[in-house]
Amino acid sequence: MNTPSMNPHSARANQRGLGLIELMVALLLGLFVAGSAIAIFATNRQTYAATESLGRLQENGRLAYEMMARDLREAGGTPCDPRTKPVANVTTGGAWWQTWGAGVVGYHYGDTGLPADMKSGTDAVVLLESDDTPISVVSHDNSSHTFVLNAAPTAFKPLDLVVACDYRQSSIFQINAVVAGSSPPYKITYAKTGLNCSTDLSWYPFGDICTSTKPGIQYNNDAMVGRLRSVEWYVNTSNQLIQTQLGSDGTTSSATKQAIADGVTNMTLTYLVSGANDYVSSSSVGSNWSTVDAVRVALTLQGQDNGQGQARASTSSSAFTRTVSHVVSLRNHLQ
């Protein structure tokens, strides 16, 4: 019986491992697979960051528009219908309360009286209105310069600027005392002091109201009284959309400032004057702010980059930038 011969060299040949070439091919394939996986992961991460940045831009734009639109729509508003009634303003000085008849005044960077931190090349707007918590008048004594109110004027403070109005007219003046106890009578009083040049709250189509020595208009129990509110919107040097509420006492010392949206790199405001065919800049409106019927707000927003390209459309492109534009009608200016 023949037995197969055992060749030790043949057995060792069948048991040999990977050669250098096979190892290099395997490493190359492994690097290719790993590189592809890393590229897919990086792309997905970039896409997620870009989508998140775009969503944040849209959210900031929507929030900014909603809050600005609310103030713009209320510009020039009083507790009574302001569109067909004259306004008697007995306050003096050249600050915001003197432009009440317009309700809206636009500015461009470089104009006087703007915030020190306003960004170069941007626009700003100042809006004036009565606040949304007016109080009904019980009686008005124009000889003692006293309003009796049907509710405690807890929001009123001495030196506040207020507006009183009825179906005939509106009056803007500064109060000097407030009685807002736990029980009636609730009162506010005014005098020919401070910002008031007169105690005559009547509207005169001709002549200077400050020269009047008459007792003035007598408001009845169909009148309303509300505090004046002035809001300024602008973009600061940190690319934030800022809403500033000026002090109701006629100063800026008690102004409150808050950032509404981040990543706002520019704000352009144009205005539609009654009877015009197109929107114009604030300089073209001139002094005709009471004839402005609508405002077009264009906000340029930029995604917030974390320094690693996370808010970019791709690793080679710049940060996301979008310009959104909205038109807001000034309902208190429309007839």
Side-chain angles (χ1 to χ4, degrees):
M1 181 174 183
N2 294 329
T3 57
S5 62
M6 302 296 294
N7 188 343
H9 297 287
S10 176
R12 284 196 298 270
N14 292 334
Q15 295 176 5
R16 65 181 180 180
L18 292 176
L20 180 61
I21 296 177
E22 289 92 339
L23 181 61
M24 293 180 64
V25 170
L27 289 175
L28 182 61
L29 291 175
L31 289 175
F32 177 77
V33 173
S36 299
I38 293 173
I40 293 173
F41 173 77
T43 301
N44 289 340
R45 185 184 180 191
Q46 189 69 45
T47 301
Y48 172 79
T51 303
E52 184 181 28
S53 178
L54 181 58
R56 189 178 299 113
L57 284 181
Q58 293 172 337
E59 181 181 355
N60 285 347
R62 181 167 56 251
L63 174 65
Y65 167 71
E66 290 296 337
M67 295 194 66
M68 282 195 70
R70 181 182 62 185
D71 285 341
L72 285 166
R73 292 190 188 101
E74 295 299 327
T78 71
C80 315
D81 185 359
R83 288 171 288 182
T84 59
K85 296 178 179 62
V87 178
N89 193 341
V90 302
T91 62
T92 58
W96 59 266
W97 59 86
Q98 280 290 291
T99 59
W100 176 262
V104 54
V105 180
Y107 300 92
H108 186 70
Y109 179 82
D111 294 342
T112 58
L114 295 176
D117 61 341
M118 181 175 173
K119 185 176 181 179
S120 175
T122 61
D123 292 333
V125 64
V126 175
L127 309 168
L128 302 97
E129 64 189 48
S130 173
D131 66 16
D132 56 1
T133 57
I135 302 176
S136 297
V137 173
V138 174
S139 64
H140 172 217
D141 187 341
N142 59 1
S143 59
S144 65
H145 317 133
T146 302
F147 281 89
V148 178
L149 308 176
N150 77 335
T154 54
F156 289 62
K157 302 183 300 295
L159 303 183
D160 271 355
L161 295 164
V162 301
V163 55
C165 63
D166 62 9
Y167 65 94
R168 297 167 293 177
Q169 68 158 67
S170 299
S171 302
I172 294 175
F173 56 97
Q174 186 180 46
I175 58 178
N176 65 344
V178 179
V179 179
S182 58
S183 59
Y186 310 114
K187 301 178 180 179
I188 59 173
T189 63
Y190 57 99
K192 189 179 178 180
T193 57
L195 295 176
N196 294 334
C197 66
S198 172
T199 55
D200 183 358
L201 305 182
S202 304
W203 177 76
Y204 295 100
F206 305 104
D208 184 2
I209 193 173
C210 291
T211 62
S212 174
T213 57
K214 299 178 181 179
I217 188 174
Q218 182 85 43
Y219 283 102
N220 301 314
N221 59 5
D222 57 354
M224 303 285 288
V225 175
R227 295 169 67 242
L228 292 191
R229 176 175 179 264
S230 180
V231 178
E232 185 170 28
W233 287 87
Y234 69 97
V235 176
N236 67 7
T237 52
S238 298
N239 291 334
Q240 294 176 314
L241 181 64
I242 301 295
Q243 181 203 56
T244 299
Q245 296 191 34
L246 303 183
S248 62
D249 58 355
T251 70
T252 58
S253 60
S254 57
T256 57
K257 181 186 297 186
Q258 57 181 333
I260 303 301
D262 295 322
V264 181
T265 59
N266 191 24
M267 178 169 68
T268 302
L269 303 172
T270 51
Y271 307 88
L272 182 65
V273 178
S274 182
N277 296 323
D278 200 2
Y279 289 80
V280 297
S281 64
S282 58
S283 60
S284 298
V285 176
S287 60
N288 300 317
W289 291 103
S290 60
T291 64
V292 172
D293 290 339
V295 180
R296 182 164 60 196
V297 182
L299 297 175
T300 301
L301 301 103
Q302 181 172 297
Q304 301 299 297
D305 195 343
N306 66 357
Q308 300 176 359
Q310 297 300 312
R312 302 173 183 272
S314 68
T315 55
S316 60
S317 63
S318 58
F320 263 121
T321 300
R322 293 289 185 273
T323 298
V324 293
S325 181
H326 302 281
V327 172
V328 182
S329 296
L330 305 183
R331 63 185 184 187
N332 292 311
H333 280 205
L334 300 176
Q335 300 295 329

